């Protein structure tokens, strides 16, 4: 019987798949005789010592739910050294032996910092933005993409009925991952992402050509990290676009909802791998999926490099300027 105390925390923006990951962690850890605790409201909960013992009942009925049953927070103070030291002290006082963090890019920086200060820590990537270095996939990105693709398909119905072009602004923070992947899978005519320049004159030329040919709709997807969809509308109008334009900002719709099969399966694989890492006492790492294989990546590497987009997808969008 080991009875080590393991704490689980979800930090930063919530992502679909966090709950299913919690489910697999809670059940798996209890089966391995660990005492499991949930820290509430993200890293702030460590500072507030807001935590509670979890049982298998807490893992019931959550596999299909978006969000996180532990709650989360945007806690910018966690970048401060003093706050990080306080967190380490609090975890010690709480008697926590190992902390498992489920979160996005910002949360990985916080995780790396307290891991360096001595916390036995394992991280699991969860972010609709899928912008975390060291893993091809993060929990929630597949669900968000499915929501975006479904929304674009729906918008096409009204766009084509009224011969309009729609500018659809999607999330992604500073990454164009969601916009690019959604563009190639919805057949969007143009895409604006922060990683590349878009040839705006070429966009106007191509869309006007489509308009003249009587093509009933055109779709332009804009990553929030590039700029506002409304600004793109102004720009296209100034440049003489012939379509009537409408803007849809998908916003937080993209962050909720039931996780897809892919996100649920990934949450199971990450949870299982995290438990194996814990058993073999390998800390300071993040579970990751690389080339369809579950592995791990050192947190020091995760926070020191920037994830790039798939070049082959960028090349599929003709209006993106791409230099080899
Ligand atoms: O990190 C996930 C994300 O949804 C980003 O895509 C977006 O920029 C940000 O969170 C929005 O955060 P908030 O919900 O705090 O406004």
């Amino acid at each position: 019987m080991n009875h080590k105390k393991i704490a689980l925390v979800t930090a930063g923006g919530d992502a679909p798949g966090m709950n299913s990951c919690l489910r697999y962690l809670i059940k798996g850890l209890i089966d391995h005789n660990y005492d499991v605790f949930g820290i509430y409201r993200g890293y702030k909960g460590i500072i507030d010592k807001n935590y509670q013992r979890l049982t298998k009942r807490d893992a019931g009925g959550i596999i299909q739910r978006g969000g996180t049953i532990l709650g989360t927070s945007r806690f910018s103070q966690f970048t401060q050294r003093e706050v990080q030291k306080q967190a380490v002290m609090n975890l010690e006082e709480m008697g926590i032996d190992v902390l498992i963090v489920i979160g996005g890019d910002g949360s990985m920086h916080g995780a790396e910092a307290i891991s360096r200060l001595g916390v036995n820590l394992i991280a699991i990537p969860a972010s609709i933005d899928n912008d975390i270095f060291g893993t091809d996939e993060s929990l929630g990105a597949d669900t968000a993409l499915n929501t975006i693709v479904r929304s674009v398909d729906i918008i096409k119905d009204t766009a084509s009925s009224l011969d309009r072009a729609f500018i659809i602004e999607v999330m992604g923070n500073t990454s164009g991952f969601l916009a690019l992947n959604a563009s190639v899978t919805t057949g969007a005519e143009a895409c604006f992402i922060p990683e590349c320049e878009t040839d705006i004159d070429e966009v106007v030329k191509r869309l006007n050509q489509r308009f003249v040919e009587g093509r009933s709709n055109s779709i332009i997807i804009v990553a929030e990290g590039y700029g506002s969809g409304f600004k793109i509308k102004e720009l296209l109008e100034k440049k003489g676009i012939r379509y009537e334009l409408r803007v849809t900002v998908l916003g937080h719709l993209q962050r909720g909802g039931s996780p897809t099969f892919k996100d649920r399966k990934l949450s199971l694989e990450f949870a299982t791998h995290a438990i194996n890492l814990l058993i073999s006492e390998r800390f300071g790492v993040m579970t990751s999926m690389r080339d369809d294989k579950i592995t791990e990546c050192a947190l020091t590497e995760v926070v020191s490099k920037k994830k790039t987009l798939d070049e082959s997808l960028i090349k599929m969008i003709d209006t993106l300027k791409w230099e080899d």
Side-chain angles (χ1 to χ4, degrees):
M1 289 297 201
N2 64 59
H3 290 302
K4 269 193 177 164
K5 284 185 172 184
I6 314 300
L8 312 179
V9 66
T10 48
D14 53 285
M18 279 183 164
N19 273 334
S20 49
C21 193
L22 287 171
R23 178 212 194 254
Y24 292 122
L25 284 170
I26 296 168
K27 290 195 176 211
L29 288 166
I30 293 173
D31 283 344
H32 282 88
N33 289 318
Y34 290 104
D35 292 339
V36 185
F37 293 80
I39 295 176
Y40 292 88
R41 307 251 160 257
Y43 288 145
K44 187 167 183 302
I46 305 179
I47 300 303
D48 298 340
K49 293 195 187 161
N50 182 3
Y51 71 114
Q52 202 173 296
R53 179 99 185 240
L54 298 174
T55 67
K56 283 195 180 181
R57 285 197 70 162
D58 295 299
I62 64 170
I63 203 165
Q64 77 286 11
R65 284 172 56 192
T68 158
I69 53 159
L70 296 180
T72 182
S73 57
R74 298 283 189 202
F75 187 53
S76 56
Q77 294 95 312
F78 208 68
T79 52
Q80 297 164 19
R81 189 81 168 162
E82 286 318 303
V83 179
Q84 293 165 357
K85 282 186 183 162
Q86 185 65 53
V88 178
M89 267 167 50
N90 286 7
L91 287 166
E92 260 172 41
E93 281 168 23
M94 287 150 65
I96 300 302
D97 297 299
V98 179
L99 179 67
I100 299 183
V101 174
I102 309 174
D105 190 45
S107 307
M108 292 305 142
H109 282 79
E112 193 271 336
I114 58 170
S115 157
R116 234 179 324 114
L117 291 173
V119 175
N120 292 330
L121 188 148
I122 295 162
I124 296 179
S127 163
I128 64 163
D129 305 337
N130 202 17
D131 58 348
I132 305 168
F133 182 86
T135 185
D136 297 341
E137 311 272 351
S138 300
L139 295 178
D142 185 65
T143 305
L145 269 174
N146 276 285
T147 303
I148 297 169
V149 165
R150 245 188 348 260
S151 306
V152 174
D153 291 347
I154 291 169
I155 285 170
K156 275 191 183 184
D157 290 345
T158 174
S160 54
S161 304
L162 285 154
D163 297 316
R164 285 172 173 165
F166 267 76
I167 297 166
I168 301 165
E169 186 190 309
V170 302
M171 278 188 168
N173 196 9
T174 57
S175 164
F177 172 84
L178 292 175
L180 179 63
N181 280 271
S183 295
V184 294
T185 52
T186 56
E189 275 62 48
C191 162
F192 291 79
I193 52 174
E195 290 84 353
C196 286
E197 267 183 61
T198 294
D199 187 338
I200 192 109
D201 293 317
E202 188 61 24
V203 171
V204 174
K205 196 173 126 204
R206 281 172 188 248
L207 263 64
N208 282 349
Q209 181 63 33
R210 282 175 62 81
F211 186 81
V212 169
E213 286 167 4
R215 311 285 283 270
S216 62
N217 73 77
S218 285
I219 297 292
I220 301 155
I221 299 188
V222 181
E224 64 174 356
Y226 182 93
S228 142
F230 291 96
K231 281 259 151 30
I232 303 285
K233 178 174 184 276
E234 270 176 37
L235 197 62
L236 292 175
E237 282 169 348
K238 261 195 208 133
K239 295 259 179 193
I241 189 119
R242 296 186 62 182
Y243 274 107
E244 188 180 355
L245 295 176
R246 288 289 184 274
V247 180
T248 300
V249 180
L250 292 183
H252 289 79
L253 272 178
Q254 298 159 92
R255 225 166 59 198
S258 192
T260 55
F261 162 77
K262 197 172 162 190
D263 273 329
R264 292 184 200 197
K265 183 157 177 278
L266 188 62
S267 74
L268 167 62
E269 291 168 331
F270 280 166
T272 307
H273 194 60
I275 294 171
N276 289 337
L277 289 166
L278 168 54
I279 292 167
S280 50
E281 303 199 346
R282 293 203 48 205
F283 303 120
V285 290
M286 179 188 80
T287 61
S288 88
M289 158 79 90
R290 276 182 179 163
D291 302 324
D292 288 327
K293 285 200 181 65
I294 298 293
T295 177
E296 67 283 332
C297 183
L299 277 167
T300 45
E301 200 184 343
V302 172
V303 300
S304 60
K305 296 185 184 158
K306 188 157 168 49
K307 188 167 177 177
T308 52
L309 295 179
D310 182 341
E311 291 177 10
S312 63
L313 295 187
I314 296 179
K315 287 177 182 166
M316 287 173 73
I317 308 280
D318 300 334
T319 48
L320 286 176
K321 282 188 190 161
W322 173 252
E323 282 161 26
D324 276 310

